[in-house]
């Protein structure tokens, strides 16, 4: 009987999605093992990279086990939405780590064995990102299919928007002195909270209880978020860099670099909300018959 249960869903590891997950597990494990062997992952950036690899490894192992043993239908959540949202989040986290880790820890010339292991960890991290990106591509909903919202383009963009907002929060330093910057932080916070609630309610299957039509609400929210981010895109650089020049030297923790980072991330989210609005409008008003 037990054997029948296990063989019942060998597709969990033999399908293309399953194979992509197995590669992600292997590559994330190699990445954090190599970095752990160097003993050099101090500070907030090193801790973040280590957390990303370990977190994605652990959750992916759990996902594969739940699918292999066919236990996931017993969970009180929308499994397709959860796995789509997680694979998107994992791809973003591993991508960030693949950029942050080498730029923070690898110094040239790279000749020591420790540096070689750090470079190898960076390479496996990049391949791990590709494995998660492949999973996102394989599980993405076909046009017209809105059975699992988070696997559609607007759903995946919601995860992207929330993640970029988290990156913005990690870079916020001094903004209390000017009203314009306070408004920008309010924009980031409000949009992040609403987007996160949409993701959580979708995974928890709570959106069906809403008294108003969900698709129209999402279109209205995306339009509002787009306008708010447009104001932040203009105000943040205007108030941050007005009458100030880049300090010299400007190290990794330099306030100028952080404010520049927030500027670019604000533009990324502005574009994400724009694409989100276009896609969600098409899903609502130009739906295939």
């Amino acid at each position: 009987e037990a054997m029948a249960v296990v063989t019942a869903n060998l597709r969990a590891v033999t399908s293309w999605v399953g194979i992509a997950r197995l590669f992600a597990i292997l590559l994330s494990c190699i990445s954090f093992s190599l970095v752990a062997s160097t003993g050099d992952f101090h500070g907030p950036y090193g801790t973040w990279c280590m957390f990303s690899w370990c977190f994605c490894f652990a959750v992916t192992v759990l996902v594969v086990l739940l699918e292999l043993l066919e236990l996931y239908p017993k969970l009180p959540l929308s499994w397709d939405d959860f796995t789509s949202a997680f694979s998107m989040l994992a791809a973003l986290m591993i991508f960030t780590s693949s950029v942050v880790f080498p730029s923070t820890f690898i110094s040239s010339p790279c000749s020591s064995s420790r540096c070689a292991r750090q470079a190898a960890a960076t390479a496996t991290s990049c391949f791990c990102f590709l494995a998660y990106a492949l999973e996102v591509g394989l599980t993405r909903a076909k046009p017209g299919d809105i059975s699992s919202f988070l696997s559609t383009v607007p759903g995946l963009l919601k995860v992207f928007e929330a993640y970029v907002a988290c990156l913005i929060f990690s870079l916020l330093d001094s903004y209390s002195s000017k009203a314009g910057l306070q408004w920008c932080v309010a924009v980031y916070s409000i949009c992040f909270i609403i987007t996160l609630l949409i993701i959580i309610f979708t995974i928890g299957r709570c959106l069906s209880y809403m008294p108003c039509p969900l698709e129209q609400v999402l279109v209205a929210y995306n339009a509002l978020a787009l306008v708010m981010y447009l104001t932040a895109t203009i105000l943040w650089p205007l108030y941050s860099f007005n009458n100030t020049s880049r300090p010299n030297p400007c190290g990794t923790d330099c306030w100028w670099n952080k404010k520049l980072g927030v500027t670019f991330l604000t533009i990324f989210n502005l574009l994400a909300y724009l694409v989100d609005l276009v896609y969600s409008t098409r899903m609502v008003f130009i739906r295939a018959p």
Side-chain angles (χ1 to χ4, degrees):
E1 179 94 18
M3 195 65 195
V5 171
V6 176
T7 45
N9 201 12
L10 279 177
R11 277 189 58 74
V13 288
T14 57
S15 65
W16 284 113
V17 174
I19 292 166
R21 285 175 184 156
L22 291 178
F23 269 108
I25 290 169
L26 178 69
L27 292 162
S28 57
C29 181
I30 293 170
S31 298
F32 71 69
S33 301
L34 282 168
V35 174
S37 73
T38 66
D40 185 15
F41 49 90
H42 54 82
Y45 296 121
T47 309
W48 163 252
C49 295
M50 204 60 165
F51 168 74
S52 297
W53 293 317
C54 294
F55 171 75
C56 295
F57 168 79
V59 178
T60 310
V61 168
L62 187 65
V63 167
V64 170
L65 283 175
L66 288 170
E67 291 212 343
L68 194 62
L69 303 172
E70 291 199 313
L71 297 173
Y72 66 91
K74 296 180 173 63
L75 299 173
L77 50 84
S78 169
W79 184 250
D80 287 346
D81 282 315
F82 169 72
T83 51
S84 294
F86 169 70
S87 58
M88 182 68 177
L89 176 67
L92 293 167
M93 288 174 75
I94 299 290
F95 176 76
T96 311
S97 300
S98 303
V99 174
V100 168
F101 182 76
S103 59
T104 310
F105 291 95
I106 299 180
S107 52
S108 60
C110 182
S111 52
S112 63
S113 73
R114 190 182 79 174
C115 186
R117 277 176 287 174
Q118 289 174 327
T122 303
T124 52
S125 184
C126 292
F127 285 123
C128 186
F129 159 69
L130 292 176
Y132 280 118
L134 177 64
E135 187 189 339
V136 172
L138 290 169
T139 55
R140 193 168 79 79
K142 306 294 175 283
D145 174 28
I146 52 163
S147 54
S148 57
F149 170 67
L150 290 181
S151 62
T152 61
V153 172
L156 293 171
L157 282 168
K158 288 278 176 286
V159 181
F160 177 83
E161 289 151 7
Y163 183 75
V164 171
C166 288
L167 293 181
I168 289 173
F169 295 140
S170 73
L171 293 173
L172 288 179
D173 217 352
S174 52
Y175 56 85
S176 53
S177 55
K178 297 167 181 164
L181 297 182
Q182 290 173 351
W183 162 252
C184 293
V185 174
V187 168
Y188 305 141
S189 306
I190 293 164
C191 293
F192 169 72
I193 291 167
I194 298 173
T195 303
L196 189 64
L197 285 175
I198 291 169
I199 294 168
I200 292 169
F201 285 167
T202 305
I203 292 172
R205 294 187 182 139
C206 303
L207 289 176
S208 52
Y209 302 120
M210 279 185 65
C212 40
L214 173 68
E215 286 95 343
Q216 277 91 324
V217 172
L218 286 176
V219 171
Y221 163 63
N222 287 335
L224 179 65
L226 181 68
V227 173
M228 288 172 75
Y229 258 92
L230 188 62
T231 62
T233 307
I234 296 164
L235 292 175
W236 181 267
L238 187 71
Y239 280 92
S240 293
F241 303 116
N242 194 19
N243 299 328
T244 56
S245 55
R246 188 172 189 262
N248 191 17
C250 191
T252 47
D253 260 357
C254 171
W255 64 267
W256 202 91
N257 284 354
K258 286 183 176 179
K259 293 204 164 174
L260 188 66
V262 172
T263 305
F264 277 109
L265 290 169
T266 305
I267 294 167
F268 287 160
N269 248 1
L270 175 73
L271 295 173
Y273 278 110
L274 176 62
V275 177
D276 198 348
L277 179 63
V278 171
Y279 262 92
S280 50
T281 306
R282 279 174 57 190
M283 276 170 68
V284 174
F285 300 110
I286 319 173
R287 188 171 292 170

